[in-house]
Amino acid sequence: MPNFHRKLERSAIGFVVAIIVVSSIGGFVEIAPLFTIDETVEKAPDMRVYTPLELAGRNIYVREGCYACHSQMIRTLRDEVERYGPYSLAVESQYDHPMLWGSKRTGPDLARIGGKYSDAWQVAHLRNPRDVVPVSVMPAYRWLEDNTLRTEDLGLHLKAMSRVGVPYTQAMIDNATNDAYGQANPDSNFAAGVVERYGEATNIRAFDGEPGRVTEMDALVAYLQILGKLTNAATAANVAIKE
Amino acid sequence: MIAGLTKGERQLSLAVLTVLALCGLAFAAIGHDDPIGTHGFIILLVAIGLACVVIAGYYAPEPDKEQLSRYYDDPTRAGIVLAMAWAVFGLFFGVWVAALLAWPELTFDAAWSSFGRIRPVHTTGVIFGFGGNALIATSLHVLQRTTRARLPDQFSPWFVLIGYNLFCVLAVSGYFMGLTQSKEYAEAEWYADIWLVIVWVVYFLIYIRTLQRRKEPHIYVANWYYMAFILVVAILHIVNNLAVPVSFGHAKSYSLFSGVQDAMTQWWYGHNAVAFFLTAGFLGMMYYYLPKRAGRPIFSYRLSIISFWGIVFMYMWAGSHHLHYTALPQWVQTLGMTFSVILLVPSWASAGNALATLNGAWGKVRDDATLRFMMVAAVFYGLSTFEGSFMAIRAVNSLSHYTDWTIGHVHAGALGWVAMISFGSIYALVPWMWKRERMYSSKLIEVHFWLALAGTVVYVFSMWNSGIIQGLMWRTYNESGTLAYSFVDSLVAMHPYYIARTFGGLLFLLGALVGCYNIWMTIRQAGGRVVLQGPDVDEPALAPIALQAGE
Amino acid sequence: MDLDHQTVVGLAKSWGLIYLLVLAVGVLAYTFWPKNKKRFDRAKESILDKDDKPWN
């Protein structure tokens, strides 16, 4: 034994291998099975993917670092379920590349924020949170309304998402830019295509209150309004508290 | 800087900088309508600027044989200066980001200064900017002294140091522009991540090449920790950052993993970044500089070996304690919790080993603020590892998770342990590196010490309070069986603590500024170089004649 | 092999435990092997030696 370790140490390479082997085991045992066992992720046949506009909104959510203060993971604890809604299931974030479970609640959890407030409230709140919640410490995101959303490359975004495993069809990828416009402009010719590709239940509205131009505010509000709404798995499972 | 390089290395530098400049140019061209274009310009400018420096010194005389037979410390000196600069930068943004939670309008209505963007600027600035540079600088010093061998060449340490700082600059400037992968402590985008891998491989090669040239048969334990830091951080970084870019002209990428797998990978990374970046590396620092400064060998070398393997083995299991009660399968949560609790053993073995080393030298600890920095660091290391194991217990975690308690815990470790051991080591190292008898002012070290300690205590206590209050308010029911407080109620209750923590952070920042001044004055000190002979204050030696085995 | 929950738990309880114990015994044996004492004592004193130049 001592000779073995001495050799290990003498040839620094052996030492390197030892560190890698000893340290890798924990991660391997914990992570590898998550990709294979069925129990990790439940089935949700009704689940739909993010529309291009919602995906763009999600990217703004990421860009502004919203995840630093808002979690999207309701734990299996009574008070959390009563405060935020049914606890989060793994399947609900199966298309989230990356996941935005978060680690800190400086603000409340957002896993089920979709549909809780009107678009107008969300817009006013993002414009200046203190207009609607006087004691809020959230930053004001006034520029979101002014910035036109970059939509011409959304097809590439959907394509990258499909490369990592999200089931976007070729039609979705090809029409991404138009679909983003159509979802924020219910009266336009492009609105019908969104319904056709993403389903009847898709929110098609002028999210920022102004049809015509598609702004970053449109995208972010579209994303917020879909949070927790991509599947009914969590409510359908008649969630009772596990413990 | 250039004078230390051989002719061949100067040519190699120019070649590498040309390649770098071309990469920058390519990004600038392909990504002209995307933030990646801005990064292309930054890379291009850095490469051109450095090439100018190399060309300006190109015809300087080459280092002679005598110079090449000594230790190569230029990169260490530069690393110390960079570490202190990043410390001030990172701590300043820390104070700012803390202030935003008390006074949310302090963003001046700009996008780049909103909380979500400058928070990663703070974390990356302090962890990677300050911590990383301190680790690189000290590791190159410790490596040479403990192996009794000079670094294998002069080019690669500069490549590592400058390349690493370029990564930090790309990361931080990206956050201001809103470029982030949203993975905590791994926010930098795909091209910066690839660049870091290249830098890291060269760093590893420096280590392994020097170890193979070593004159001392045994590898001193500090190097084990530095090696574990380099190796495991590489594994973590590569796996966690696997992603598919939207295109080569886009900075944005999509993580390869999603949902629960992504969460587990992220926190396997996140927790082990704490373990192998913020713990293993700094333990390496502690195992060298603390005994050296105290003038006493480490209390138990054997204990240091046992705790090394314990830490290397067990930390990798602990990441899932970040995901208690979530959609992660319960057996993974339980595994993480169990190992987190057992981790207390090797952690306290290390902390105890450090404190026992000082047993018998308490007089020195009292008189010498540099040594006291290291002592307090060991105490905070013990405290925060205990707290960490405690918080990993599911029941405790149900209260503490998502609250400021976690922030308090992290800062007890980051300010109390990581920053204090770094400051202590840097104060020990600066006079050796610049051949001064001692630091410019030991009074100022004393001032820095008390500012740092007071800042840490104020910060940690306010976050403990706010975190526990928050956790309790969220789960309090009133008599009718409904939740007693709205979320906003808990937010209002946090306000005084957010002010207190900003103040604590400010004290810590002031301390770092005092430290910078002191180091600067030491470097500039009138009287110039004092070449030290024989035993002296800063370079304690038990056996004046080298090679005496201490039986 | 079917890597379901049961298999993983089985592995952890058998091989995982053996691996953990073997590793622990190995590290302890190395650490406390009497012949190594000299090396360790030398190592811990060695950093306090004068170190102004690399050895040749």
Side-chain angles (χ1 to χ4, degrees):
Chain A
M1 196 64 214
N3 279 328
F4 171 68
H5 198 292
R6 190 168 308 167
K7 268 191 193 142
L8 243 168
E9 224 185 283
R10 276 220 175 243
S11 61
I13 301 270
F15 194 52
V16 167
V17 174
I19 293 178
I20 292 178
V21 170
V22 170
S23 62
S24 305
I25 288 174
F28 187 75
V29 170
E30 287 184 346
I31 297 175
L34 296 181
F35 288 91
T36 50
I37 56 175
D38 294 334
E39 294 150 54
T40 308
V41 181
E42 311 79 358
K43 295 270 177 292
D46 66 326
M47 185 159 176
R48 77 159 169 84
V49 294
Y50 293 111
T51 65
L53 188 67
E54 290 155 10
L55 183 66
R58 189 170 200 273
N59 289 342
I60 293 168
Y61 185 98
V62 167
R63 183 185 78 190
E64 301 304 339
C66 305
Y67 59 86
C69 295
H70 295 284
S71 58
Q72 290 185 21
M73 173 47 63
I74 301 165
R75 296 181 295 170
T76 54
L77 298 166
R78 181 182 162 201
D79 58 293
E80 299 218 349
V81 171
E82 288 183 13
R83 191 180 294 277
Y84 301 116
Y87 61 77
S88 301
L89 300 182
V91 70
E92 292 180 272
S93 48
Q94 67 170 336
Y95 299 140
D96 286 4
H97 296 263
M99 58 85 204
L100 295 173
W101 291 9
S103 60
K104 176 72 174 60
R105 284 181 187 151
T106 304
D109 188 277
L110 299 182
R112 310 214 176 282
I113 199 72
K116 271 198 187 162
Y117 298 90
S118 68
D119 292 344
W121 187 92
Q122 292 286 7
V123 170
H125 184 248
L126 285 164
R127 187 184 296 137
N128 183 12
R130 279 156 292 287
D131 286 348
V132 277
V133 183
V135 294
S136 170
V137 297
M138 186 170 124
Y141 294 95
R142 298 183 183 95
W143 62 90
L144 292 178
E145 292 177 281
D146 304 331
N147 291 358
T148 306
L149 184 70
R150 184 178 174 191
T151 54
E152 84 284 354
D153 62 349
L154 279 172
L156 289 172
H157 283 260
L158 261 58
K159 191 147 196 212
M161 282 286 267
S162 74
R163 283 217 181 94
V164 293
V166 181
Y168 281 111
T169 63
Q170 193 56 45
M172 289 171 170
I173 294 171
D174 293 340
N175 293 292
T177 303
N178 292 341
D179 285 349
Y181 182 82
Q183 194 179 355
N185 289 283
D187 299 329
S188 74
N189 297 332
F190 297 117
V194 182
V195 176
E196 187 193 320
R197 279 179 281 279
Y198 296 91
E200 284 293 336
T202 312
N203 298 323
I204 299 181
R205 302 194 291 259
F207 294 94
D208 65 356
E210 288 174 48
R213 201 164 65 108
V214 184
T215 61
E216 293 188 339
M217 184 67 89
D218 276 315
L220 185 56
V221 174
Y223 172 64
L224 292 175
Q225 295 292 26
I226 200 67
L227 277 175
K229 299 256 171 196
L230 290 177
T231 168
N232 284 323
T235 30
N238 187 17
V239 180
I241 292 167
K242 268 186 191 161
E243 285 159 295
Chain B
M1 173 175 165
I2 305 303
L5 303 184
T6 62
K7 220 32 4 103
E9 286 170 333
R10 290 173 203 178
Q11 286 158 358
L12 179 61
S13 311
L14 285 176
V16 169
L17 288 171
T18 310
V19 174
L20 192 64
L22 289 176
C23 288
L25 195 62
F27 276 146
I30 306 173
H32 56 86
D33 54 354
D34 192 88
I36 202 175
T38 314
H39 271 165
F41 276 114
I42 293 180
I43 296 170
L44 185 64
L45 283 180
V46 168
I48 292 174
L50 287 170
C52 290
V53 174
V54 176
I55 291 167
Y58 191 80
Y59 291 105
E62 284 194 86
D64 57 27
K65 233 177 154 215
E66 207 278 320
Q67 276 172 298
L68 290 177
S69 72
R70 276 189 256 131
Y71 292 123
Y72 189 51
D73 290 329
D74 289 353
T76 301
R77 283 189 271 268
I80 293 170
V81 173
L82 285 166
M84 291 308 292
W86 277 106
V88 171
F89 175 84
L91 291 170
F92 169 75
F93 274 93
V95 174
W96 188 356
V97 87
L100 282 181
L101 290 183
W103 304 284
E105 288 299 340
L106 273 179
T107 62
F108 310 109
D109 217 13
W112 63 267
S113 61
S114 66
F115 184 94
R117 294 203 192 179
I118 63 174
R119 183 215 180 227
V121 170
H122 161 60
T123 54
T124 301
V126 290
I127 298 174
F128 297 106
F130 170 50
N133 275 304
L135 284 172
I136 293 174
T138 56
S139 70
L140 295 178
H141 173 254
V142 171
L143 175 65
Q144 296 185 84
R145 298 314 189 277
T146 52
T147 57
R148 322 276 185 192
R150 182 184 163 93
L151 295 177
D153 67 321
Q154 287 73 239
F155 169 76
S156 38
W158 283 114
F159 179 81
V160 170
L161 188 71
I162 296 172
Y164 180 78
N165 280 280
L166 176 61
F167 164 79
C168 294
V169 167
L170 289 179
V172 165
S173 58
Y175 308 149
F176 285 130
M177 295 188 282
L179 295 181
T180 168
Q181 295 191 110
S182 83
K183 291 182 162 235
E184 284 182 73
Y185 321 115
E187 289 95 344
E189 274 292 356
W190 59 277
Y191 48 94
D193 290 335
I194 293 173
W195 172 245
L196 185 61
V197 172
I198 298 170
V199 169
W200 218 247
V201 168
V202 177
Y203 188 20
F204 168 69
L205 288 176
I206 294 178
Y207 234 84
I208 201 87
R209 281 156 73 206
T210 312
L211 284 178
Q212 281 173 332
R213 294 151 38 102
R214 71 187 186 276
K215 302 292 187 299
E216 184 81 65
H218 178 79
I219 303 176
Y220 183 68
V221 72
N223 290 315
W224 303 19
Y225 285 94
Y226 280 123
M227 280 255 277
F229 146 65
I230 297 171
L231 286 169
V232 183
V233 166
I235 300 175
L236 297 165
H237 174 75
I238 292 172
V239 175
N240 189 43
N241 284 305
L242 292 172
V244 174
V246 171
S247 82
F248 286 112
H250 279 81
K252 170 83 188 160
S253 66
Y254 289 98
S255 154
L256 188 59
F257 309 124
S258 71
V260 63
Q261 289 95 350
D262 191 42
M264 184 60 229
T265 311
Q266 157 59 25
W267 288 111
W268 168 76
Y269 167 89
H271 193 73
N272 288 299
V274 174
F276 289 90
F277 204 102
L278 298 178
T279 303
F282 291 89
L283 281 172
M285 225 183 250
M286 184 192 84
Y287 277 118
Y288 183 81
Y289 293 101
L290 184 130
K292 194 85 175 148
R293 183 74 186 188
R296 308 161 57 83
I298 192 79
F299 167 70
S300 166
Y301 197 77
R302 285 169 163 166
L303 199 55
S304 71
I305 296 174
I306 296 174
S307 34
F308 173 78
W309 288 110
I311 284 174
V312 169
F313 177 72
M314 280 187 285
Y315 250 113
M316 291 297 249
W317 300 77
S320 53
H321 69 224
H322 288 256
L323 300 167
H324 280 324
Y325 297 101
T326 66
L328 185 77
Q330 181 148 357
W331 64 271
V332 186
Q333 300 179 20
T334 309
L335 211 54
M337 171 174 95
T338 314
F339 275 97
S340 306
V341 174
I342 311 177
L343 253 177
L344 188 60
V345 178
S347 302
W348 271 27
S350 299
N353 209 350
L355 293 177
T357 302
L358 297 174
N359 215 355
W362 294 113
K364 274 190 189 169
V365 176
R366 188 193 58 211
D367 299 335
D368 178 8
T370 303
L371 192 57
R372 212 176 319 123
F373 259 117
M374 301 187 204
M375 190 276 285
V376 170
V379 171
F380 269 102
Y381 177 62
L383 280 177
S384 41
T385 48
F386 172 75
E387 191 188 17
S389 295
F390 182 62
M391 290 167 77
I393 298 168
R394 277 166 67 89
V396 181
N397 196 268
S398 75
L399 178 85
S400 75
H401 194 56
Y402 293 136
T403 72
D404 285 324
W405 189 354
T406 311
I407 317 299
H409 167 63
V410 170
H411 283 83
L415 301 175
W417 156 240
V418 174
M420 296 257 200
I421 192 76
S422 302
F423 288 137
S425 301
I426 287 174
Y427 280 134
L429 190 51
V430 164
W432 299 338
M433 287 291 97
W434 275 275
K435 307 276 188 292
R436 302 289 186 266
E437 205 171 334
R438 57 178 62 84
M439 287 295 297
Y440 166 70
S441 158
S442 52
K443 279 239 173 64
L444 288 179
I445 304 182
E446 200 67 51
V447 171
H448 182 186
F449 173 80
W450 289 109
L451 281 172
L453 184 61
T456 307
V457 170
V458 170
Y459 191 105
V460 172
F461 271 90
S462 52
M463 287 294 95
W464 276 341
N465 274 315
S466 71
I468 292 170
I469 291 173
Q470 225 171 3
L472 290 175
M473 283 177 87
W474 291 345
R475 58 161 60 174
T476 301
Y477 283 85
N478 55 29
E479 282 152 8
S480 57
T482 52
L483 291 167
Y485 300 103
S486 72
F487 191 90
V488 166
D489 292 336
S490 73
L491 188 66
V492 172
M494 295 307 100
H495 190 68
Y497 300 107
Y498 285 163
I499 295 174
R501 74 104 89 94
T502 309
F503 177 67
L506 185 66
L507 292 182
F508 205 89
L509 169 65
L510 290 177
L513 286 169
V514 171
C516 283
Y517 174 74
N518 202 355
I519 290 168
W520 184 246
M521 292 307 284
T522 309
I523 298 172
R524 305 246 92 181
Q525 211 165 31
R529 298 178 164 233
V530 188
V531 180
L532 300 167
Q533 300 287 336
D536 63 81
V537 198
D538 286 315
E539 209 161 358
L542 284 189
I545 307 147
L547 263 178
Q548 265 324 356
E551 290 285 329
Chain C
M1 192 179 62
D2 191 22
L3 257 185
D4 59 9
H5 186 180
Q6 292 309 318
T7 322
V8 173
V9 172
L11 275 176
K13 283 185 178 166
S14 54
W15 290 109
L17 191 64
I18 292 173
Y19 168 76
L20 185 66
L21 290 175
V22 167
L23 188 85
V25 170
V27 170
L28 288 174
Y30 166 72
T31 314
F32 288 99
W33 209 267
K35 255 175 99 179
N36 282 343
K37 185 172 166 22
K38 233 168 109 177
R39 295 152 40 76
F40 294 156
D41 288 345
R42 158 92 192 95
K44 71 182 201 179
E45 303 285 352
S46 71
I47 58 160
L48 301 175
D49 294 345
K50 198 79 184 112
D51 55 10
D52 54 345
K53 265 183 81 148
W55 294 354
N56 287 306

